[in-house]
Amino acid sequence: LRYLAVTLALVLTTLQTKVKILDTPTREPHPEPCAMICSGIARSEDGKWFDSWVNKGKAGRDVDMGGCNFASAPVITVSAQGWKCPAVHVSKDIGSDRFALYTVDDVTAEEVEKNQCGVYWVAAGYDCE
């Protein structure tokens, strides 16, 4: 029984992580234990890039992060990976389950897909109110 208690204490200690978020897009305070990190890849081969009609000359795409179960809009960082991929940025259109991103440089959706530009993203937010 003593070994079980020690093993359980070690497992629980290794499962605890500390995430501190100083600010969010909504500026809403949340309990610190609810802070979490979620990440993913918006793959180039999924065909979801589009030529933006709002940001002329730019390619864009929506990214689904519904599996993260954020309670409100998180802080998101993005990076394009691939061959000759343009820089990307997150638009102001952020929700708790999705976000939109656009290229910084003028490029078409076809070029981004042809160059196999995947977008690696990391989001920090809260999973409870």
Side-chain angles (χ1 to χ4, degrees), residues 47-95:
K48 294 185 179 179
W49 283 97
F50 58 85
D51 293 320
S52 177
W53 53 272
V54 174
N55 297 309
K56 297 288 184 198
K58 314 295 185 208
R61 67 172 293 148
D62 287 322
V63 177
D64 177 12
M65 57 179 182
C68 298
N69 296 316
F70 286 116
S72 60
V75 176
I76 303 167
T77 303
V78 294
S79 175
Q81 302 277 324
W83 186 73
K84 292 187 177 181
C85 295
V88 292
H89 70 91
V90 177
S91 79
K92 292 182 181 179
D93 185 18
I94 301 172

Side-chain angles (χ1 to χ4, degrees), residues 16-78:
Q16 294 176 356
T17 58
K18 187 161 187 147
V19 176
K20 187 165 192 88
I21 301 170
L22 301 179
D23 200 1
T24 64
T26 60
R27 298 183 179 180
E28 296 173 9
H30 294 275
E32 192 170 309
C34 298
M36 60 173 275
I37 302 289
C38 187
S39 67
I41 304 170
R43 303 202 180 267
S44 61
E45 61 269 13
D46 64 11
K48 294 185 179 179
W49 283 97
F50 58 85
D51 293 320
S52 177
W53 53 272
V54 174
N55 297 309
K56 297 288 184 198
K58 314 295 185 208
R61 67 172 293 148
D62 287 322
V63 177
D64 177 12
M65 57 179 182
C68 298
N69 296 316
F70 286 116
S72 60
V75 176
I76 303 167
T77 303
V78 294

